[in-house]
Amino acid sequence: MSAMQCGLRAWARVRTGRIARRAALPLLVLATSACYRPANEARPHGSWAYAVEAPKAGSRVLTVEATFDGARTERLGIPRDSVPWIRGMKVRAGDAWRTVERRGNEWFERSCNWRCTVSYEIDLGELANSCGDEVDCARRIGDATLSPALAWLVHPVPRTDVPVTVRVHAPDGAAFATGMHPADQSNRSFAFRSFDLDEGSFTAFGPMRRFTIDAPGRPPASARIDVAVVGDARYAMPDAAIRSWIEEAANLTVPLFGRFPVDRATLFVVPAKGEDEVVFGKVLSLAGASVVVVVGDKMEASARHKDWVLVHELFHLGFPTFRGEGRWLGEGLATYYEPLLRARAGWATEAEVFRQFARNMPRGQGPRGSSAGLSARDDLDTIYWGGALFCFAADVRIREETRGKKSLDDVLRASLERGGDATRVWTVRDVVSLGDAVTGTTVLSEMYERHAARGERIDLESLLASLGVVQEGREADDSRPLAWVRRGIVHGVHPDAVARRP
Ligand SMILES: [Zn+2]
C-alpha cells in the first residue's frame, strides 16, 4: 500500500487468526521543523484550484475543472489506475476549449507552465471496477462511491509545494463526505498543500447516513468526528450502536494523548458482506484526517470491545506521518499501543496483552542470520511486529532507566503537543531526538542505531522473562525484577501508583 499510515488489508486477514501489529516514535524538533516543508526555502508562487461537480443521482461520474497557476511544467498526471477513466481532457483557450494531448499516462499542455484551466470527467464506477473495488483506489458501495481524493485530482507533474483548494458542488442535494481540511464553514470548500496529495483524504459521494461525535479536544474546544455510514447497507449493529462504538474507541485514545488527537476527523464505515468483524482499516491524513473501517454487516455490538482495527486506526491519528521511511515505527507504535489502550480501558486483560506479544512479536525478528535492520526490511511482519517489538523493548528500557518516571507514553504526548499528529510529516530522526530529550535518556537513539540501522536482534525471551511473563495459562511471576514495569505498561500509570492500589 502506498500510503504511509496503515493498510491492513492482508493484515486484517492474518490477524483474524488473532495477531497483533505495530509501534512508535520520538523526536526533538522545534515546532517549526516539525513539518516536512522544505526548510528555509521560499515557497514557490502558484496555486491549484479545483471545482468538482459531484455525481448526479444514479451516476458515478465526477466532473472537474482545475486551474493551475504557476505550475512551471507542461505535464499533468494522476495515479496510474485512474488514467484510463479520465475522459475529455480539455484546456480553456479563450472562449473555447481544446483537447489536451495525452502521451502514455500523462497529458501535455504548454500553457500550464504559466496558467491553464483544464476540465475533465472521471468515471469512479469504472475505476472501482478496474481495480477490484479496493478502498485505496475506489470502491462502490451500493449507489455510493468511496475513494481517496488523489484518485480523481489530476495535477501538475512534478509538483511544487503550493496551496490547493477544492470546491465541491453537489447537484440536487447529492451527498458527499470528505476528510479534506475544511477551508471555511460552508462544508463545500477544502484546502491543503499540494504535497499532501500523496495521501489525499478519503471522500465519498452518493447515499450515506451521517452523524457527528464530540470527543475531548483541546480545551475548551471539543474534537469532532464526522461519521459517514456509506451506502445504504444495513448492519447487525444499529446506527446508534455503531455510534457508541466509535465514541468509546475514540475515548480510548484520550488517557494516552490527553485529548482526541486531532481537532476533526472524518470516519467512513463501509460494509463487509457476511463478515462478523472489522476486516480492514486505513487512515489517510495528510490532506485532512480521514479513516475508513470496513465493518462486517453481521458484526454484533457485543463484539466491539474485541475489535482491534478501529482502535489501531484512531491511534494513528495521534502520531506524525513519515514520508518514504519509518513505516515500521508508525505501524509498530499502533500495533504496540492498540492492545494497551484496550487493556487500559478494561477491554482486554493484562494476560491477553502479553500472550499476544509473546506469540506474535517473534514474527518481527526477521530471518535468522539476517543483518538487515528494521529500516531496511519491508515485509509486513517486520513493519507491524518488528516495529511493535522495538517499541515494547524501548518502553521497558525507558521505564527501567528512569525508574518509572518516564515511558514511551511521554514521548507520544510530547510529540502530539508539538503538533505531531497524523496530518503532519516528521522524520524518524525527529521522533528519536524528541524521545531522548523528553525521557532524559539515550534509549531511543541507541536502540535506533542497534536495531533499526544495524539489525541487531532484540532478545524477546529475556525481555518477557524479566517482566515476569510466563508460559500461557500460568499466572504472571511478580517476583521478577521488572514485574512493576509490566504492570505500568498495561495500567498506563506510574508504577508507584499501581503499587499503592489495593
Ligand atoms: Zn496501521
Side-chain angles (χ1 to χ4, degrees):
M1 261 156 255
S2 61
M4 291 145 245
Q5 276 308 324
C6 201
L8 299 177
R9 183 195 350 270
W11 199 248
R13 291 303 179 172
V14 171
R15 172 69 193 260
T16 306
R18 287 296 76 110
I19 309 309
R21 59 248 87 106
R22 52 278 96 121
L25 53 107
L27 59 99
L28 164 22
V29 182
L30 306 175
T32 48
S33 64
C35 74
Y36 66 94
R37 319 268 185 227
N40 303 322
E41 267 178 39
R43 285 181 172 174
H45 294 293
S47 61
W48 306 348
Y50 296 88
V52 176
E53 184 83 0
K56 296 180 175 60
S59 164
R60 300 181 198 269
V61 176
L62 280 186
T63 305
V64 181
E65 188 173 301
T67 297
F68 304 121
D69 199 355
R72 295 190 293 183
T73 175
E74 60 182 15
R75 296 163 55 203
L76 302 176
I78 196 165
R80 185 165 301 199
D81 285 340
S82 299
V83 171
W85 314 111
I86 301 282
R87 302 272 164 71
M89 176 71 77
K90 292 187 168 59
V91 60
R92 189 195 297 274
D95 293 336
W97 293 84
R98 110 178 112 64
T99 298
V100 178
E101 178 193 2
R102 178 179 153 191
R103 290 182 232 149
N105 290 322
E106 293 183 337
W107 293 264
F108 289 76
E109 171 51 45
R110 280 195 66 204
S111 66
C112 292
N113 271 296
W114 305 279
R115 180 185 168 91
C116 64
T117 297
V118 300
S119 77
Y120 59 90
E121 291 181 349
I122 177 165
D123 189 326
L124 297 180
E126 295 284 6
L127 172 61
N129 188 39
S130 69
C131 58
D133 278 311
E134 294 286 353
V135 168
D136 284 338
C137 174
R139 176 176 290 199
R140 295 161 293 183
I141 304 141
D143 290 334
T145 319
L146 173 80
S147 66
L150 63 85
W152 36 267
L153 292 175
V154 170
H155 57 77
V157 179
R159 286 171 291 168
T160 46
D161 178 23
V162 298
V164 178
T165 56
V166 177
R167 261 187 317 109
V168 179
H169 177 244
D172 311 327
F176 79 98
T178 182
M180 291 187 286
H181 288 300
D184 54 34
Q185 302 293 317
S186 68
N187 210 25
R188 290 286 182 274
S189 190
F190 308 92
F192 48 91
R193 303 291 300 189
S194 53
F195 284 178
D196 298 337
L197 259 192
D198 282 2
E199 293 204 344
S201 305
F202 285 112
T203 301
F205 297 99
M208 63 187 77
R209 308 192 291 278
R210 307 286 300 270
F211 47 85
T212 299
I213 293 170
D214 288 329
R218 290 175 224 258
S222 297
R224 197 178 91 204
I225 305 169
D226 290 320
V227 179
V229 182
V230 185
D232 45 19
R234 293 289 157 184
Y235 294 80
M237 270 193 284
D239 283 2
I242 292 176
R243 180 200 179 96
S244 305
W245 167 45
I246 295 169
E247 186 169 17
E248 288 175 348
N251 277 305
L252 249 56
T253 65
V254 173
L256 175 63
F257 293 115
R259 59 181 169 89
F260 187 69
V262 292
D263 297 336
R264 175 180 179 270
T266 305
L267 192 149
F268 298 87
V269 177
V270 172
K273 199 162 173 46
E275 302 281 354
D276 61 2
E277 62 181 356
V278 182
V279 301
F280 180 74
K282 182 158 186 165
V283 167
L284 291 179
S285 53
L286 291 185
S290 66
V291 182
V292 166
V293 280
V294 182
V295 179
D297 60 3
K298 298 200 173 346
M299 178 173 161
E300 299 285 347
S302 57
R304 69 194 188 285
H305 290 178
K306 294 292 174 206
D307 166 63
W308 60 272
V309 179
L310 179 57
V311 177
H312 173 106
E313 303 305 338
L314 293 177
F315 171 89
H316 272 307
L317 298 179
F319 194 69
T321 298
F322 300 120
R323 195 186 288 281
E325 62 160 356
R327 195 168 166 219
W328 62 271
L329 183 53
E331 294 299 347
L333 277 173
T335 303
Y336 176 56
Y337 269 97
E338 163 266 315
L340 299 183
L341 296 188
R342 290 175 51 244
R344 291 173 187 180
W347 294 11
T349 65
E350 181 184 308
E352 285 169 336
V353 168
F354 286 102
R355 193 183 312 142
Q356 188 180 83
F357 287 174
R359 191 184 304 151
N360 294 316
M361 283 182 176
R363 299 165 54 183
Q365 292 280 25
R368 277 238 168 248
S370 164
S371 60
L374 289 166
S375 305
R377 301 183 344 233
D378 60 1
D379 60 286
L380 286 181
D381 277 341
T382 291
I383 289 167
Y384 287 83
W385 286 112
L389 172 55
F390 177 94
C391 294
F392 175 39
D395 196 11
V396 170
R397 265 193 63 194
I398 292 169
R399 288 170 187 269
E400 186 180 5
E401 287 194 15
T402 63
R403 303 167 68 93
K405 290 188 174 56
K406 297 290 180 187
S407 71
L408 203 51
D409 294 9
D410 294 291
V411 181
L412 288 173
R413 277 192 284 270
S415 60
L416 186 61
E417 276 168 17
R418 286 159 178 75
D421 64 35
T423 68
R424 300 301 181 89
V425 174
W426 284 15
T427 65
V428 172
R429 181 183 298 268
D430 290 335
V431 175
V432 168
S433 303
L434 178 64
D436 279 359
V438 164
T439 59
T441 70
T442 53
V443 168
L444 285 169
S445 52
E446 280 177 25
M447 285 190 56
Y448 177 85
E449 182 57 32
R450 289 170 57 193
H451 307 295
R454 292 211 307 269
E456 204 174 301
R457 289 171 80 84
I458 293 172
D459 188 345
L460 175 62
E461 284 186 16
S462 298
L463 185 64
L464 290 169
S466 69
L467 296 173
V469 178
V470 294
Q471 284 181 328
E472 271 190 62
R474 294 179 49 197
E475 288 282 308
D477 181 356
D478 281 341
S479 70
R480 302 298 300 175
L482 296 183
W484 61 272
V485 170
R486 188 192 75 239
R487 293 191 299 270
I489 286 171
V490 168
H491 295 288
V493 294
H494 190 281
D496 289 349
V498 176
R500 282 198 301 272
R501 283 185 180 182

